[in-house]
Amino acid sequence: MPMNEELTEEQNHLAHARAELASMRERTLALDIQGGNAVSSEALAETLWRRARSLEDDPTTALFFGRVDLDTDERWYIGRRHVTDDAGDPLVIDWRAPVSTTFYRASHTEPMGVRLRRRFGYVRGSITAMEDEHLLDVAEPEARSQILASEIERPRVGPMRDIVATIQPEQDALVRVDAMTTVCIQGAPGTGKTAVGLHRAAWLLYAFRQRLSRSGVLVIGPNDAFLDHIGAVLPALGEVEVRHTSIEALTGSVPIRATEPTEAARLKGDARMAVVLHRAVWSHLVPPTEAMVVPRGSRRWRVAAYDIAPLVDGLAGREIRYDAARQLLPQRLAHAVLMKMEALGEYPDDRVQDAVARSAPVKAYAGSLWPKVEAPALLHRLLSDAQALAAAADGVLSGDEQRRLLWEKPSRTAGSTKWTLADTVLLDELGDLLNRTPSLGHVVLDEAQDLSPMQLRAVGRRCSTGAATVLGDIAQGTTPWSTASWAESLEHLGKPDGVVSELRRGFRVPASVIEFAARLLPQAAPGLAAPESVRDNPGRLDLVPVRPADLVRATVAEVERLSALEGSIGVIVPDARVAGVSRALSEADLEHGTLGATHGDVDHQIDLVPATVAKGLEFDHVLVLEPAEIAAAEPDERTGLRRLYVVLTRAVSDLTVVHAERLPDALAR
């Protein structure tokens, strides 16, 4: 068949598939909701609403992006949704289905039974091009897909988009790891680790829908700007139930209203604090020294202290939380009373035991042995009372470390305390010591290299009976407590058997940019291999030295030049310069959004980005202002160079560096 006729045939198949997808949604919306009762009907209505929403079509995107013809004469179109006709025959296969694996992984060396792989090029939702690979033809040379390359490099404005059409074999292998395996992905900038994590969540919900729809999936990112950036990916893949949160919000049981010295925050994030807090909680137990006397009717039942001690020790020795054991103690004490009753010939039943357990004498006695503990009050006491802290930290923290933790001017009560971010993580740990944190089925954790051991423990509690997908890059660690080893991070996460994989091939960051930024690695992350850009287009790197007086003026001029190009623009500046640069852009009539740690704004072509918020974001065109100042703003040289490495690797097409100060030595060579 001539190519133009084949193209027409494929366009007709697309039109037919879109029409059938619309019919599937209409049939779902037309279903009569009869659940038998109000609760069941409401649950059924919600299920059908989610189903209808997952069947929504976006006519500006590709419903299917590929086709495989197998040597068994089967033909499958691979797309974002599973679409069938009225007879139930598949018109499009979901990219997560097992047969779709052949589209992503087949090659000339391992064809996997694929006779033909066809990729489709789209413009605004319409097929405009096709590209074929005959994988069983030994005479056909292995060639780079131009459609694949153009899709990867396609400019965009707005949030991150899915990569289902461009998933690479090594990425697909990580996406499809089984549900109970924790995977840690070390990925250099542009390797697609974030996209792999999100697509893994979508695949898990497809392959293990029943289990994970009950237990839940959670995506954790570094800040709200990042979450806004990635928030459209899973809904675009039909998954609308996955919750997103920042690491700060995850443990935010109290408002964060204060900051603290770096050394204090580092110490509060140390894993040894878990031991200190555990001791502090369980130190509240009081050994019984007096008998318990319970009046009932005309009799007074007496249980000796030496009979009660084993009951308390038995509960304390079990692997249950403090409050759960505290609630069990009255029943244990009541049972001891019933044993006395039975010894004297009475026949009490469970109702009698419950009544005894609820009686005032038993509740008061239980409370005297096992007092109620409130997490904020306990942490307030530890950080304001040197004696209380010493009792919990003896042999765990040195005297100097204990003094570093103590507040200079403690508040009078826990309610009036201005808590820091590190404090909220300690409160979360205390909360779990008191009452077990419910576990989700799966957690996707991005930018994990920046988390302290205590933060990792907080995340691990959310997937204690499930698994995790851990994403990060050690070279991009910019916190004083950033990890030096993924094995160590997995240990703190509670997943020591997690599998560590590395993505080194960069598909998004061009070679000229990644080679420039990689000059920082020998000092920023010694021993870590430089990433490898595999794009044919080397991108563009412009270094623009200017006089200090011309710095802002030159920045505005460069942004004006970039605004004439297609695609998004990220203007990354030292945090202290955000207000001044924003004012200069506005005076030049350059409409822009400003991103912050607590908010995102990725709907403008131009986004002004503080250097500390840039991690995880990407833009077609990036302008970095004053690299030396960005590095100098960090507490030490290593962290400064890592911060600079992050901001220099946000570009998909080109990078412009405007500077008045001399570039850091590693970049100036």
Side-chain angles (χ1 to χ4, degrees):
M1 185 185 298
M3 183 58 73
N4 62 334
E5 292 183 19
E6 284 199 57
L7 182 60
T8 300
E9 186 176 288
E10 300 291 18
Q11 290 169 338
N12 291 338
H13 184 80
L14 173 62
H16 181 43
R18 287 200 189 281
E20 291 297 335
L21 178 62
S23 296
M24 290 170 64
R25 187 168 188 272
E26 289 169 5
R27 288 195 295 271
T28 300
L29 293 172
L31 289 173
D32 188 18
I33 299 172
Q34 295 182 353
N37 57 59
V39 175
S40 297
S41 295
E42 185 177 347
L44 179 58
E46 184 179 350
T47 300
L48 292 176
W49 175 82
R50 288 196 299 266
R51 169 66 175 166
R53 187 174 173 189
S54 71
L55 294 173
E56 290 177 352
D57 184 23
D58 182 354
T60 65
T61 63
L63 183 58
F64 58 80
F65 45 80
R67 189 185 104 187
V68 287
D69 295 358
L70 306 182
D71 54 10
T72 57
D73 292 331
E74 294 175 284
R75 172 177 294 177
W76 305 108
Y77 287 85
I78 314 299
R80 290 173 171 78
R81 304 280 193 283
H82 185 80
V83 183
T84 61
D85 60 17
D86 288 339
D89 294 325
L91 300 176
V92 181
I93 297 295
D94 193 301
W95 67 274
R96 298 168 287 188
V99 71
S100 301
T101 306
T102 58
F103 176 78
Y104 294 114
R105 301 194 200 176
S107 65
H108 281 83
T109 54
E110 286 190 53
M112 301 175 69
V114 175
R115 180 170 49 82
L116 172 99
R117 173 167 56 204
R118 173 170 288 175
R119 300 183 191 274
F120 297 102
Y122 279 79
V123 174
R124 292 184 292 277
S126 299
I127 299 175
T128 57
M130 302 185 307
E131 191 176 71
D132 290 348
E133 296 172 86
H134 302 85
L135 300 184
L136 298 181
D137 185 352
V138 295
E140 182 179 272
E142 192 94 39
R144 295 282 295 276
S145 167
Q146 293 305 308
I147 286 180
L148 190 65
S150 63
E151 173 62 21
I152 290 174
E153 299 175 22
R154 178 164 58 93
R156 64 156 182 81
V157 173
M160 179 182 179
R161 57 177 179 250
D162 66 70
I163 63 164
V164 287
T166 61
I167 293 174
Q168 299 298 296
E170 66 268 34
Q171 295 173 329
D172 186 66
L174 292 170
V175 165
R176 298 175 194 261
V177 174
D178 72 271
M180 293 311 296
T181 299
T182 290
V183 180
C184 177
I185 303 174
Q186 157 67 34
T191 55
K193 59 184 177 295
T194 296
V196 168
L198 294 173
H199 287 68
R200 174 158 168 72
W203 179 81
L204 287 169
L205 284 164
Y206 174 88
F208 304 94
R209 175 78 61 188
Q210 189 171 3
R211 183 199 312 174
L212 292 179
S213 62
R214 291 196 306 267
S215 55
V217 176
L218 176 67
V219 176
I220 303 173
N223 53 54
D224 288 344
F226 174 84
L227 296 178
D228 283 353
H229 179 62
I230 68 168
V233 173
L234 287 170
L237 298 174
E239 301 299 342
V240 296
E241 296 181 66
V242 177
R243 191 163 64 92
H244 296 65
T245 189
S246 66
I247 187 64
E248 180 178 310
L250 184 74
T251 58
S253 60
V254 294
I256 298 172
R257 299 193 296 162
T259 58
E260 61 191 332
T262 298
E263 285 308 309
R266 189 203 302 267
L267 185 54
K268 288 178 180 179
D270 193 302
R272 293 176 296 165
M273 289 300 298
V275 179
V276 174
L277 297 179
H278 186 275
R279 284 184 181 179
V281 167
W282 289 92
S283 68
H284 286 78
L285 296 188
V286 179
T289 57
E290 297 181 358
M292 178 180 70
V293 179
V294 182
R296 185 167 175 81
S298 61
R299 307 200 59 170
R300 291 165 63 86
W301 300 97
R302 182 178 184 278
V303 183
Y306 57 77
D307 287 330
I308 292 175
L311 303 180
V312 175
D313 293 342
L315 282 175
R318 292 177 59 183
E319 292 186 4
I320 57 177
R321 298 304 194 261
Y322 182 92
D323 271 355
R326 179 175 171 273
Q327 292 165 15
L328 288 174
L329 182 57
Q331 286 288 343
R332 297 296 177 91
L333 296 176
H335 183 71
V337 172
L338 260 65
M339 297 289 287
K340 298 286 185 182
M341 293 178 177
E342 290 173 352
L344 292 180
E346 295 191 18
Y347 299 97
D349 56 18
D350 290 345
R351 290 174 297 176
V352 174
Q353 179 170 325
D354 288 341
V356 172
R358 292 195 302 269
S359 67
V362 170
K363 290 170 65 176
Y365 190 85
S368 70
L369 303 181
W370 209 297
K372 184 175 179 59
V373 175
E374 298 285 351
L378 176 54
L379 186 59
H380 177 269
R381 183 158 62 90
L382 286 174
L383 299 181
S384 57
D385 185 337
Q387 189 173 353
L389 180 59
D394 183 43
V396 180
L397 302 178
S398 69
D400 285 343
E401 288 175 323
Q402 292 177 40
R403 284 188 288 274
R404 202 179 305 152
L405 285 177
L406 289 168
W407 290 323
E408 290 184 11
K409 297 180 180 179
S411 58
R412 295 184 63 183
T413 65
S416 61
T417 299
K418 293 183 178 180
W419 302 105
T420 66
L421 174 59
D423 291 333
T424 67
V425 182
L426 298 182
L427 289 171
D428 192 76
E429 181 83 22
L430 284 171
D432 184 69
L433 288 168
L434 298 174
N435 294 286
R436 186 182 298 276
T437 303
S439 175
L440 298 161
H442 199 87
V443 168
V444 178
L445 173 63
D446 208 347
E447 304 298 350
Q449 75 281 346
D450 279 336
L451 270 59
S452 70
M454 292 299 286
Q455 286 176 316
L456 288 167
R457 288 174 59 87
V459 174
R461 288 191 283 276
R462 271 72 181 182
C463 56
S464 57
T465 60
T469 299
V470 181
L471 313 167
D473 179 10
I474 290 176
Q476 296 186 59
T478 53
T479 57
W481 42 82
S482 58
T483 188
S485 161
W486 287 123
E488 181 181 318
S489 293
L490 289 170
E491 188 75 35
H492 294 310
L493 194 68
K495 307 293 181 183
D497 298 327
V499 178
V500 180
S501 297
E502 184 175 9
L503 293 175
R504 287 190 56 194
R505 295 202 303 157
F507 304 98
R508 295 290 287 169
V509 183
S512 61
V513 174
I514 201 65
E515 289 168 5
F516 178 67
R519 297 177 187 177
L520 299 169
L521 288 180
Q523 290 176 262
L528 201 65
E532 169 195 357
S533 177
V534 296
R535 287 171 46 176
D536 293 330
N537 182 353
R540 175 175 170 175
L541 172 66
D542 291 318
L543 304 180
V544 184
V546 298
R547 295 179 305 172
D550 297 332
L551 189 63
V552 175
R553 189 183 310 114
T555 299
V556 172
E558 290 296 328
V559 174
E560 286 179 327
R561 175 181 66 83
L562 294 172
S563 65
L565 304 176
E566 184 182 8
S568 57
I569 301 168
V571 182
I572 306 178
V573 304
D575 288 31
R577 290 185 179 268
V578 170
V581 173
S582 178
R583 189 163 50 251
L585 293 175
S586 297
E587 289 172 355
D589 293 327
L590 290 169
E591 184 182 350
H592 62 282
T594 301
L595 274 60
T598 59
H599 65 276
D601 185 358
V602 290
D603 293 327
H604 294 84
Q605 183 194 20
I606 303 169
D607 279 308
L608 182 59
V609 187
T612 55
V613 180
K615 189 172 295 181
L617 307 179
E618 66 176 24
F619 304 90
D620 295 299
H621 317 285
V622 169
L623 183 148
V624 174
L625 178 65
E626 211 61 279
E629 187 177 333
I630 290 173
E634 299 298 329
D636 56 72
E637 182 183 17
R638 188 200 73 162
T639 305
L641 294 178
R642 287 186 172 189
R643 178 73 68 192
L644 193 52
Y645 179 71
V646 170
V647 303
L648 292 175
T649 53
R650 301 304 94 201
V652 175
S653 297
D654 54 74
L655 170 66
T656 302
V657 178
V658 179
H659 64 101
E661 293 185 40
R662 185 175 183 276
L663 292 175
D665 291 342
L667 295 177
R669 71 171 191 267

